[in-house]
């Protein structure tokens, strides 16, 4: 009887763990996508992880993560901007180590201590803070930015290493910052709800002795609901070694990503979002 009980508890823990690293976004955290429709499979890497980003006891955004390159492919969220204090500690994703670990992001020191996991075990599945030390000409670039959220918990949740990439320093504090803070503000003036998918195209260079990929491009796309009958969309892309951002239509970005990924046609939003 005791053995049966232990097996039941173990199975329950594994099932609960899937609330964080999941098999698809539609069944777990679809609220971060317009009409609950994530991007299609054209962007999926060979070794993906679908993460419903959980902080405390709530989901705040969704991330498709590339376990091999140790960078996010994209992050998806609902735009609610507020100035960010930027005093948050960096966290990791326990369930990339194993589904029996906590389903909420944790500080590295807390996770290693509480679960007797080594730093090597943690680093086998994802980027660690050591990978982003001693960067030259690069920043820890958020995909989902802290300043696009309106409460402390959602801001804290963006400070996970599964939400950042090595981003060109000048781009991050220059043209990309201007897009995040000014262009988005201007574009969303008449929007009721704005859904955002922001991502990174893998490149040929790495940091941290080949552990973490440096993307060749950073991109962002938005689909805005003006009212029940009207929507608008826009997008940008930037080479990750230049301080310049190119404004595109949603369809223009999807076609550009299709070429960059040399695969099937990329679709970032439900078909109701205007492509032109």
């Amino acid at each position: 009887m005791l053995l049966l009980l232990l097996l039941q508890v173990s199975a329950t823990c594994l099932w609960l763990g899937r609330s964080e690293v999941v098999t698809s976004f539609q069944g777990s955290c679809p609220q971060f996508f317009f009409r609950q429709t994530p991007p299609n499979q054209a962007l999926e890497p060979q070794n993906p992880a679908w993460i419903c980003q959980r902080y405390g006891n709530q989901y705040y955004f969704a991330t498709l993560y590339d376990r091999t390159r140790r960078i996010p492919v994209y992050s998806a969220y609902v735009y609610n901007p507020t100035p960010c204090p930027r005093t948050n500690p960096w966290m990791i994703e326990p369930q990339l180590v194993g589904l029996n670990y906590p389903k909420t992001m944790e500080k590295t020191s807390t996770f290693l201590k509480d679960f007797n996991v080594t730093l090597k075990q943690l680093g086998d599945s994802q980027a660690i803070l050591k990978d982003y030390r001693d960067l030259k000409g690069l920043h820890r670039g958020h995909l989902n930015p802290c300043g696009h959220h309106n409460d402390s918990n959602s801001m804290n949740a963006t400070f996970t290493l599964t939400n950042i990439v090595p981003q060109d320093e000048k781009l991050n504090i220059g043209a990309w910052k201007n897009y995040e803070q000014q262009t988005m503000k201007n574009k969303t003036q008449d929007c009721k709800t704005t859904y955002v998918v922001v991502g990174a195209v893998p490149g040929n260079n790495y940091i941290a002795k080949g552990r973490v990929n440096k993307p060749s491009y950073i991109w962002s796309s938005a689909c805005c609901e003006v009212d029940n009958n009207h929507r608008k969309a826009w997008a940008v892309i930037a080479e990750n070694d230049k301080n310049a951002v190119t404004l595109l239509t949603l369809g223009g970005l999807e076609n550009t990503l299709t070429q960059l990924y040399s695969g099937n046609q990329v679709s970032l939003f439900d078909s109701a979002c205007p492509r032109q």
Side-chain angles (χ1 to χ4, degrees):
M1 180 65 70
L2 179 59
L3 178 60
L4 178 61
L5 179 61
L6 289 173
L7 288 172
Q8 288 175 332
V9 170
S10 176
T12 300
C13 289
L14 286 171
W15 181 83
L16 288 173
R18 289 187 178 275
S19 293
E20 180 63 15
V21 173
V22 299
T23 55
S24 73
F25 291 131
Q26 288 96 329
S28 301
C29 52
Q31 65 268 32
F32 304 114
F33 303 93
F34 173 67
R35 293 193 173 177
Q36 303 188 359
T37 304
N40 66 352
Q41 297 178 342
L43 298 179
E44 289 180 14
Q46 290 185 346
N47 192 12
W50 292 265
I51 305 173
C52 294
Q53 297 282 12
R54 191 183 189 100
Y55 180 78
N57 197 36
Q58 186 172 338
Y59 295 139
Y60 288 103
F61 62 105
T63 299
L64 177 60
Y65 192 74
D66 187 333
R67 295 174 183 262
T68 302
R69 296 183 177 96
R70 296 183 176 88
I71 58 170
V73 178
Y74 65 75
S75 287
Y77 60 95
V78 178
Y79 176 73
N80 289 296
T82 300
C84 177
R86 303 191 68 83
T87 58
N88 316 69
W90 289 98
M91 293 176 282
I92 52 84
E93 175 45 62
Q95 292 203 332
L96 287 178
V97 182
L99 293 178
N100 55 320
Y101 292 109
K103 56 189 176 182
T104 185
M105 57 186 72
E106 299 271 4
K107 290 192 295 185
T108 299
S109 58
T110 301
F111 178 62
L112 298 183
K113 178 182 177 183
D114 290 352
F115 295 94
N116 196 30
V117 173
T118 67
L119 191 60
K120 182 184 182 305
Q121 288 175 303
L122 177 63
D124 284 344
S125 64
Q126 61 198 282
I128 56 178
L129 195 56
K130 182 180 178 181
D131 294 328
Y132 282 89
R133 290 177 182 160
D134 303 319
L135 294 178
K136 296 181 180 179
L138 297 170
H139 276 176
R140 302 165 189 166
H142 282 72
L143 289 192
N144 176 1
C146 171
H148 284 189
H149 296 267
N150 62 356
D151 66 76
S152 59
N153 280 345
S154 57
M155 290 178 180
N156 288 340
T158 67
F159 283 84
T160 169
L161 293 171
T162 55
N163 180 46
I164 64 170
V165 298
Q167 185 174 13
D168 182 85
E169 178 181 15
K170 292 181 180 178
L171 174 63
N172 190 38
I173 63 176
W176 195 259
K177 181 179 179 180
N178 182 68
Y179 172 73
E180 289 180 335
Q181 295 186 359
Q182 298 302 321
T183 307
M184 280 292 290
K185 180 180 179 180
N186 295 335
K187 288 279 191 182
T188 56
Q189 285 295 321
D190 56 348
C191 294
K192 181 176 65 175
T193 306
T194 302
Y195 296 88
V196 180
V197 180
V198 55
V201 180
N204 296 321
N205 298 314
Y206 284 77
I207 65 167
K209 298 180 180 179
R211 282 181 43 82
V212 178
N213 186 265
K214 177 194 170 188
S216 55
Y217 292 85
I218 313 292
W219 54 268
S220 184
S221 57
C223 182
C224 149
E225 291 182 300
V226 178
D227 55 41
N228 291 337
N229 299 315
H230 298 89
R231 287 163 293 278
K232 62 180 183 177
W234 61 91
V236 293
I237 193 166
E239 294 183 67
N240 196 24
D241 58 1
K242 296 181 176 65
N243 183 23
V245 168
T246 301
L247 185 64
L248 300 169
T249 63
L250 174 58
L253 176 62
E254 290 176 334
N255 290 336
T256 298
L257 292 177
T258 298
Q259 294 175 3
L260 290 172
Y261 277 86
S262 301
N264 297 323
Q265 177 66 44
V266 171
S267 176
L268 299 175
F269 289 97
D270 179 88
S271 60
C273 290
R275 263 52 189 185
Q276 298 302 322

